[in-house]
Amino acid sequence: TFYCFVRLCLDKILLQCVLQSRTLSGADAINALRPFYFAVHPDFFGQHPKEREVNENSLKRLNGYLENLQKPGFRSFKPTQLTFYVREREPNSSNVQESFSASGFRAVSFTLHTRDLLSTVLDILNSCSLSTEHVQSLNVNSQPQKEAKSTVNRPIKWDKTYYSFTGFKDPEEELEQAQRVETTLLSWLDDNEASAVKKLKKSLPLRKELERLKIELSHELQLSDIRWQRSWGIAHRCSQLHSLGRLVQQRPEILENVKGRTVVFTDRSGMSAAGHIMLGTMDVHHHWTKIFERLPNYYKLQKRLLLLEDRISQLLGGIQVIYIEELQPLLTLEEYFETLNSFYNRLRDSRLPFHPRSLRGLQMILESDRYAPSLHEFGHFMIPTVCDPAALQWFIFAKAQEARENLKRKEEMMITEKELINTSTERFSLDRLYKEPSVSSAQMIDCCKRLLEESLPYLQGMHLCISHFYSVLQDGDLCIPWNWK
């Protein structure tokens, strides 16, 4: 009876601790995390599509963690590992795992295992080396919590013999064990399959509606394709197509020049460097109408852009200038033209002695955020717009043979990747298997090969996305890291 009495008292005190520690409201947490959101918001990583996508995925998982903390009666939790690219001018020392790039940001990885909003907020800010002073100024009961640590609300640490004698579980030992256990694919699928199936079934009517709208609009406007720049939910995409459909009914005459084109729903309106019609999702019909009216002028500028690419190619021995949507930031046609024009003027003035057609068959892309040329694993040169012409000439000559070998390897890799995707889709009866743009072909090939060695009945009829993290999207898509264990 004595130990029962001790247990009841302990439970009462712990409950009081939990209630007092949750004095930070959801709105207060958002305000406290503003410096963090400013440092990692995907919109600031427009020039870095891979880092932007990593931050988008991590923010989704972080928001889910914060939402769970605010649910009534929330008790159980799982440690959540997150990785963010944090914008920073100068490197700061930190105790967490981090690495710096030459682009003004650093990668920070940390694990959340706190049970209340205040501790979680402080952990996030501290992990990213951000100030926590402003948290004290918030209108929350954070000071009483600090005082309680030395009085009534201090954590009670029982001797290990108490747990061995009573049979109760040691919370510290449980936490350490949870942190030591690495998430495996099978365990994660076992825990999340039911949730994914429920969300997927709920989304099926909307998925059919989305496909119907896409086919109808593509046929009516004779479009080549309809795409989305970001991973918006199915309902959001349907809403965007309904908006475009209403515009077609109201102003059919302005859509005569879209034949054979691709429409991309993105963050801003205009024409992309790849020649696609961009419709900003935050813009109203008035802005979209203006874009369609300007299409003839855009097409004229596109012809000038193609001519500029040919001139650059002639100056560089026949190397082809290309624009790769998956690897480069989403530029407007005007922005890309200015980039090409600036690079062309530098080349023309330098008069580099490239032999005509000596580099024919090779490819290059221009990047405005680099200062040294490099060779991509797919064989294309990544050339800075401000690159020194003499250094550029030497680099291309030195890497030309390797570039040709990489281009050949790319073709073989793309074929292998496609075959493995088809085989995996059929083997596991998947409805769809795809990858995020930030996942390379080599990573996708490795992932599929290892998947095919497993028995995974959980995947039948599912939508599987190969990513960098584990997550269940709002429409039931399962996301797993390419290097799953």
Side-chain angles (χ1 to χ4, degrees), residues 440-483:
S440 68
S441 292
Q443 292 170 338
M444 187 66 172
I445 289 173
D446 175 71
C447 176
C448 289
K449 283 182 176 179
R450 292 189 299 114
L451 280 176
L452 289 170
E453 297 175 356
E454 301 291 330
S455 176
L456 301 170
Y458 307 94
L459 300 180
Q460 185 173 356
M462 301 302 295
H463 291 243
L464 182 64
C465 174
I466 308 303
S467 175
H468 296 278
F469 305 98
Y470 286 106
S471 63
V472 178
L473 301 185
Q474 61 183 2
D475 295 305
D477 294 46
L478 288 167
C479 294
I480 66 171
W482 68 270
N483 56 345

Side-chain angles (χ1 to χ4, degrees), residues 69-82:
L69 288 180
Q70 299 174 67
K71 290 180 180 178
F74 175 78
R75 291 184 181 179
S76 63
F77 76 101
K78 292 183 179 180
T80 300
Q81 185 172 3
L82 299 173

Side-chain angles (χ1 to χ4, degrees), residues 25 66 71 79 91 96 134 241 275 277 293 314 375 448:
S25 68
L66 295 176
K71 290 180 180 178
V96 295
H134 64 286
L241 291 184
I277 301 168
E293 290 174 345
Q314 292 172 9
L375 179 63
C448 289

Side-chain angles (χ1 to χ4, degrees), residues 23-25 27-29 118 135-144:
T23 54
L24 195 68
S25 68
D28 289 329
L118 181 58
V135 178
Q136 305 302 324
S137 64
L138 293 174
N139 187 24
V140 295
N141 189 21
S142 57
Q143 187 63 28

Side-chain angles (χ1 to χ4, degrees), residues 4-21:
C4 291
F5 172 77
V6 170
R7 182 64 180 176
L8 288 172
C9 292
L10 176 61
D11 287 344
K12 186 175 181 179
I13 294 174
L14 290 177
L15 178 60
Q16 183 181 4
C17 293
V18 171
L19 292 175
Q20 290 184 5
S21 65

Side-chain angles (χ1 to χ4, degrees), residues 305 308-309 312 321 336-344 366:
L305 185 145
L308 201 52
E309 288 181 339
I312 293 174
V321 183
Y336 191 48
F337 181 85
E338 288 300 321
T339 299
L340 286 173
N341 193 47
S342 174
F343 184 72
Y344 170 71
L366 282 176

Side-chain angles (χ1 to χ4, degrees), residues 322-437:
I322 60 174
Y323 177 84
I324 305 178
E325 290 181 280
E326 293 80 8
L327 299 178
Q328 294 180 258
L330 187 65
L331 300 175
T332 64
L333 198 65
E334 299 93 331
E335 291 170 342
Y336 191 48
F337 181 85
E338 288 300 321
T339 299
L340 286 173
N341 193 47
S342 174
F343 184 72
Y344 170 71
N345 290 333
R346 290 173 63 88
L347 283 180
R348 183 187 58 188
D349 296 339
S350 65
R351 299 181 181 277
L352 294 177
F354 282 98
H355 189 278
R357 299 187 178 184
S358 61
L359 299 177
R360 192 173 183 182
L362 297 181
Q363 299 174 339
M364 60 166 279
I365 65 174
L366 282 176
E367 294 198 333
S368 58
D369 61 341
R370 288 178 178 266
Y371 294 94
S374 62
L375 179 63
H376 194 271
E377 61 176 345
F378 278 174
H380 58 266
F381 289 96
M382 304 170 73
I383 307 300
T385 55
V386 295
C387 183
D388 176 65
L392 172 63
Q393 179 188 7
W394 176 87
F395 184 82
I396 291 179
F397 280 149
K399 296 287 186 178
Q401 183 56 36
E402 184 180 350
R404 295 187 189 279
E405 293 172 358
N406 285 5
L407 282 170
K408 184 178 180 180
R409 192 181 303 115
K410 171 193 173 183
E411 296 177 1
E412 297 171 352
M413 193 177 295
M414 297 295 285
I415 294 174
T416 303
E417 180 184 9
K418 186 176 181 179
E419 290 176 349
L420 284 171
I421 290 176
N422 292 336
T423 302
S424 301
T425 302
E426 183 177 352
R427 162 76 181 278
F428 300 113
S429 301
L430 288 164
D431 195 71
R432 185 188 178 200
L433 173 60
Y434 62 104
K435 68 174 184 177
E436 292 181 347

